[in-house]
Structure formats: structure tokens, C-alpha cells
Amino acid sequence: MNKPIGQSIKPELRSRVDALLDSMIAKFYKEVPFSQHLLNGSQININYNKRHNIETILP
């Protein structure tokens, strides 16, 4: 039986990966100039930003 998306077969691995990603995100907002604009900006086009990130990663 397949588990729904988001339910890990190995929850301990999921927890470790989530913690690693959380630390990487915190480091990004702490160290990258102008990153707070992405976090707190009132005029961010989320759909454009998602598409840009996907297009940047895929090629």
C-alpha cells in the first residue's frame, strides 16, 4: 500500500532532512544580502518566484 505524500517510510530520516533544510533556510536569511525582502516583502509575486526557482533548478 502506498503512503500519501508527506508520510515518510522512514520518519527519522524525514526529521533529519527537515532539520537540515530548516538550518539552511535560517542561514540563507541570515547571510544573504536582501534576503529579508523575500521573507517580509509586501509586493512579492509568489507564483513568479516559484516558477523562477523551478526554472533555475531544472536546467
Side-chain angles (χ1 to χ4, degrees):
M1 181 174 175
N2 291 336
K3 291 189 175 213
I5 294 174
Q7 288 187 357
S8 177
I9 294 172
K10 296 185 177 187
E12 66 282 354
L13 176 61
R14 173 69 183 253
S15 295
R16 289 174 47 203
V17 170
D18 284 348
L20 175 62
L21 292 173
D22 287 344
S23 69
M24 293 171 77
I25 291 168
K27 181 178 178 183
F28 170 80
Y29 285 120
K30 181 180 176 186
E31 296 179 2
V32 175
F34 305 109
S35 63
Q36 289 296 313
H37 173 70
L38 293 173
L39 184 62
N40 300 318
S42 62
Q43 296 181 351
I44 301 294
N45 183 327
I46 291 296
N47 290 327
Y48 173 81
N49 194 24
K50 287 179 187 177
R51 181 180 176 117
H52 168 74
N53 287 336
I54 291 168
E55 290 175 347
T56 301
I57 292 167
L58 289 178

